[in-house]
Amino acid sequence: MRTLTALPFALFVLAPYTSLQAASLSVAAKADYAAGTQPYSIAAADVDNSSRPDLILANAGGNTVSVLIDKGAGTFKAKVDYATGKVPLGVAVADTNGDGKPDLLVANGGGNSVSVLLGNGNGTFKAKVDYAVGLKPYGVKAADVNSDGKLDLLTANSGGNSASVLLGNGDGTFGAKADFATGSAPLQVVVGDINHDGKADLMTANSTANTVSVLLGNGNGTFKGKTDYITGSAPKDLTLADADRNGQPDLLVANTNGNSVSVLLGNGDGSFKGKTDYATDTAPRGLSVSDANNDGKPDVSTANFNSNTISVLLGNGDGSFQAKADFATGTGPFAVATTDVDRNGKPDWLVANSTGNSASVLLDTTSFQPIGKLKAAVSVPVGPGVGSTVAGDINNDGKPDLVAASYSANTFNVLLGKGNGSFADKVSYPAEGSPEWIALGDINHDGYADLAAVLQADLKILLGKGDGSFMDKMNYAIDISTDNIQLGDLNGDGHTDIVLADETINISVFLGNGDGTFLPKQVFPMNAPTANNVSLALGDINNDGKLDVAATINTFTDTASYFVRVLFGKGDGSFSAQADYPSPTLMSGITLARLNADHYLDIVLTHRFDDTVSVMLGKPGGGFQNSVDYPTGRLPAAVKTADLNADGKTDVIVQSLGDPAITVYFGKGDGTLQGKTTYAINTPEDIAIGDFNRDGKPDLAIPDNIDGTIGLFFNGAP
């Protein structure tokens, strides 16, 4: 399932969002879980659709991969093993066939192959299928390197001094390998767009050459010749992160014989500065990046084979790191991953212990300063009639930008972010009509953000150039006023599709060709009388790996009626069954989110004249429970969700037209909401969310129609 065609190869992003308030690091003693024989690699992913990360380990001595399902509170069930090829050394998790279910990719060092185990979505996996790669593959990754919307497979081949690339077919199968020369004995590979050209580049850690190789991508699945950069002694793992928070990807490398991490700061053009080394404990073998102390700055952790520890080096945010702090693991730690396994908003450490045949889980117990309170709005001038507003990186500099539609000026307004909470002066583009709704996505697979806009009777496509500007592509007639626009992959072909709702209660679908153009629209009648205020949300509601639609229907005939209609996607761009859920009053905004820890998407919607926001918790099969209502300001409209207070639980933001204001509710993680904090703004028109000052916390951008400004509400008020 692809809910949105995302811009690929983003830098390390702090997740969940975090605070500038630094805290002393506190880590609980390890808890060990049995793995297979000689686990060499570890990954964390939600493979059973529970909204909790599970553990996956590649067991070099057992020719298996172990799956440990999270049972809550950072604890795990006993392992289940699945057969792999010979001597599995690396593991990655990705949805290779677009069915919304994570699959496993295992690099088999003794079999010169990668095993692909397709997921069933419930924590179990199908039998392996092997694909030939280079000699003694070690690291494995999945990424779209030929810009076709399908995941490809990459390995670092320690015996072949090469990286293998296998292009994906989008159905979980892969083509024959193509090999690209690297330095000697590469043990790990990473993929990212390090020169901001919208094309995937690859890097390898070369363990006997004491270098990293950088191969810039051509965008078609091939790569230019390598450029090598010196590291410490015996580099065996690496990752990309924005260590100095300047929007450029940097390289961090674990040097096993050097007892160090090398940091190579990126120049943004595909090249890197010389290394700076930071001491770790002995024989660092694996490496991971997270924000361990909640200060919004990337920190680095290493798994230290000889000392049976992890080292945590807190980042200063300028590309440098503090002295290490060490914490005990099982014996022979070989790899480390970081993610929040106990859902408290703090990243934890997961370690593969190669001689202990175990996984160690170390929970982050640091006391963080509570966040989520917003500062008073800072106004950014845009112009009259500012309305629908979206956030995204449209000039590929790693800093969030804003695009705002002005329906009275008939323009699209681009405000390029500086990464410090301020923006360059707006640049306006003629809309050739009154823009009502806008959305961002990579429509033509070039790695740049494109703009889709609803005018009064047209769907307008503007392709991004990657420098913050746009060029006209095409207009498509939509015949009648449209109330909403959503982007997603409805037919599983890896291309961005567009879904619209209009005031005749029809759903219009434009299937994308992947080049910026679309097939003629398909219209799906809702078979309801004329209505208004139709809003849409996209998501996999019934967990079948296909996108569904939830729409608010407000009908006005002799007797008014209100209901939420769910259309279940068939995976080919059309819809099959539908289900209706009555509402007592007229509805405005709708969104889909996970407010509790079950497997199902929940509905959050606003009631325009009832002054409430309602939560309908999802049930098996795509059903929903009765709504629970929470009071809002007067005339609530748009609704969005985010984790504003970094507790790992989804919060709700509501725009109210009658007060006027925005209202924030904090999620409790069980499907209920608590608190109600209101922030005044003159005439709120929409809600956009982004980390505009790059402090690791989500901020809000609220267009103010009468004032002609965007109000920026920065997170983290005292």
Side-chain angles (χ1 to χ4, degrees):
M1 175 191 67
R2 300 174 179 88
T3 57
L4 182 65
T5 303
L7 300 181
F9 325 124
L11 302 182
F12 163 79
V13 177
L14 301 177
Y17 291 105
T18 52
S19 164
L20 275 178
Q21 178 63 47
S24 299
L25 192 63
S26 175
V27 179
K30 69 181 176 74
D32 290 341
Y33 297 86
T37 304
Q38 245 182 320
Y40 269 27
S41 181
I42 190 167
D46 178 15
V47 299
D48 65 342
N49 199 28
S50 67
S51 298
R52 297 189 299 265
D54 310 304
L55 301 186
I56 303 97
L57 300 99
N59 305 309
N63 298 334
T64 61
V65 62
S66 292
V67 177
L68 289 76
I69 300 297
D70 189 323
K71 61 181 182 179
T75 63
F76 295 86
K77 299 178 182 178
K79 71 180 176 73
V80 176
D81 291 338
Y82 297 86
T84 66
K86 188 177 180 181
V87 192
L89 299 174
V91 64
V93 184
D95 179 11
T96 63
N97 59 350
D99 65 354
K101 304 168 185 176
D103 311 313
L104 303 184
L105 310 172
V106 184
N108 305 307
N112 301 329
S113 66
V114 168
S115 295
V116 177
L117 292 80
L118 297 179
N120 296 314
N122 59 0
T124 67
F125 295 86
K126 296 178 171 62
K128 71 181 177 75
V129 176
D130 292 340
Y131 295 87
V133 296
L135 294 176
K136 198 178 180 182
Y138 219 105
V140 59
K141 291 290 187 297
D144 179 11
V145 299
N146 63 341
S147 303
D148 66 351
K150 303 168 186 176
L151 287 179
D152 310 309
L153 191 154
L154 301 92
T155 61
N157 307 313
S158 61
N161 302 332
S162 67
S164 290
V165 176
L166 290 76
L167 299 181
N169 298 314
D171 58 0
T173 66
F174 297 87
K177 72 180 177 75
D179 292 337
F180 299 88
T182 67
S184 59
L187 294 189
Q188 189 55 270
V189 59
V190 295
V191 181
D193 180 9
I194 60 173
N195 59 348
H196 301 294
D197 65 352
K199 302 169 185 175
D201 311 309
L202 74 83
M203 289 129 276
T204 61
N206 309 312
S207 60
T208 62
N210 300 331
T211 61
V212 292
S213 292
V214 175
L215 290 78
L216 298 180
N218 295 314
N220 59 0
T222 67
F223 295 85
K224 296 178 172 62
K226 69 183 177 72
T227 301
D228 292 336
Y229 296 86
I230 295 173
T231 67
S233 179
K236 295 187 178 179
D237 200 2
L238 82 167
T239 193
L240 282 173
D242 187 7
D244 55 358
R245 301 191 300 172
N246 69 346
Q248 311 301 339
D250 310 311
L251 276 171
L252 293 85
V253 186
N255 306 307
T256 302
N257 294 346
N259 301 329
S260 66
V261 168
S262 291
V263 178
L264 293 81
L265 297 179
N267 295 314
D269 58 0
S271 67
F272 294 87
K273 295 179 172 66
K275 71 180 178 74
T276 301
D277 292 339
Y278 298 89
T280 67
D281 217 340
T282 55
R285 184 57 188 77
L287 173 145
S288 185
V289 173
S290 65
D291 182 14
N293 65 335
N294 200 47
D295 65 352
K297 304 168 186 176
D299 310 312
V300 62
S301 303
T302 60
N304 308 308
F305 180 78
N306 286 351
S307 55
N308 300 329
T309 61
I310 57 168
S311 292
V312 181
L313 290 75
L314 298 180
N316 296 315
D318 59 0
S320 66
F321 291 85
Q322 300 172 29
K324 68 183 176 72
D326 299 328
F327 303 93
T329 67
T331 58
F334 221 73
V336 60
T338 47
T339 194
D340 180 15
V341 297
D342 56 354
R343 290 176 57 84
N344 67 351
K346 307 170 188 179
D348 309 304
W349 292 268
L350 316 168
V351 183
N353 303 309
S354 62
T355 58
N357 299 332
S358 66
S360 291
V361 176
L362 292 83
L363 300 179
D364 191 337
T365 56
T366 306
S367 296
F368 292 168
Q369 177 74 28
I371 66 170
K373 187 176 180 181
L374 304 178
K375 300 176 183 178
V378 176
S379 295
V380 177
V382 178
V386 60
S388 180
T389 299
V390 292
D393 182 10
I394 61 174
N395 62 345
N396 275 24
D397 65 352
K399 303 166 187 175
D401 311 307
L402 289 170
V403 182
S406 292
Y407 51 79
S408 61
N410 296 339
T411 58
F412 305 112
N413 305 287
V414 174
L415 295 88
L416 296 180
K418 299 180 179 180
N420 60 1
S422 65
F423 291 81
D425 292 341
K426 70 167 182 175
V427 176
S428 298
Y429 296 85
E432 301 172 355
S434 179
E436 299 178 358
W437 298 96
I438 58 176
L440 286 175
D442 184 9
I443 293 172
N444 61 343
H445 294 299
D446 64 354
Y448 305 143
D450 307 312
L451 184 67
V454 172
L455 309 181
Q456 288 176 318
D458 288 292
L459 169 65
K460 189 177 186 68
I461 306 298
L462 291 89
L463 297 182
K465 297 180 180 180
D467 59 1
S469 64
F470 294 91
M471 56 184 174
D472 266 328
K473 179 64 177 178
M474 292 189 71
N475 283 24
Y476 298 86
I478 52 179
D479 299 331
I480 193 167
S481 180
T482 296
D483 288 317
N484 205 227
I485 181 171
Q486 296 288 325
L487 305 186
D489 181 9
L490 292 179
N491 59 349
D493 63 355
H495 306 323
T496 299
D497 308 315
I498 295 177
V499 186
L500 306 174
D502 64 43
E503 293 183 357
T504 60
I505 313 300
N506 290 327
I507 299 294
S508 295
V509 173
F510 291 84
L511 295 179
N513 295 313
D515 59 359
T517 66
F518 293 83
L519 297 175
K521 72 176 179 180
Q522 303 177 61
V523 177
F524 299 91
M526 299 285 274
N527 298 317
T530 300
N532 62 21
N533 296 320
V534 180
S535 293
L536 293 178
L538 292 184
D540 183 9
I541 293 172
N542 59 349
N543 286 344
D544 64 352
K546 304 165 187 174
L547 281 183
D548 311 309
V549 172
T552 60
I553 307 296
N554 303 298
T555 68
F556 301 96
T557 52
D558 293 337
T559 303
S561 64
Y562 317 101
F563 52 92
V564 175
R565 175 161 290 173
V566 175
L567 287 80
F568 295 106
K570 297 171 66 175
D572 60 0
S574 65
F575 303 94
S576 56
Q578 66 184 41
D580 293 340
Y581 298 89
S583 173
T585 59
L586 184 143
M587 298 165 289
S588 295
I590 187 171
T591 192
L592 291 166
R594 283 186 171 172
L595 299 185
N596 56 8
D598 65 13
H599 298 247
Y600 314 112
L601 284 174
D602 310 310
I603 287 176
V604 186
L605 57 87
T606 55
H607 295 280
R608 175 67 62 90
F609 300 121
D610 213 18
D611 297 339
T612 58
V613 59
S614 296
V615 174
M616 300 166 61
L617 296 180
K619 299 193 300 184
F624 292 91
Q625 300 178 27
N626 292 332
S627 65
V628 176
D629 300 334
Y630 299 86
T632 66
R634 292 186 303 116
L635 304 179
V639 58
K640 298 287 178 68
T641 60
D643 182 11
L644 291 177
N645 60 346
D647 63 353
K649 302 163 187 174
T650 302
D651 309 314
V652 173
I653 307 106
V654 175
Q655 160 214 10
S656 297
L657 301 173
D659 281 339
I662 56 170
T663 304
V664 173
Y665 306 81
F666 293 118
K668 297 172 68 175
D670 59 0
T672 64
L673 305 177
Q674 60 184 342
K676 176 188 173 187
T677 307
T678 299
Y679 301 89
I681 188 167
N682 195 12
T683 50
E685 286 287 321
D686 200 359
I687 302 168
I689 301 172
D691 181 11
F692 302 117
N693 56 358
R694 292 178 56 81
D695 65 352
K697 301 170 298 194
D699 311 307
L700 304 184
I702 311 297
D704 188 327
N705 172 255
I706 290 179
D707 287 352
T709 62
I710 291 176
L712 297 175
F713 291 84
F714 293 107
N715 201 333

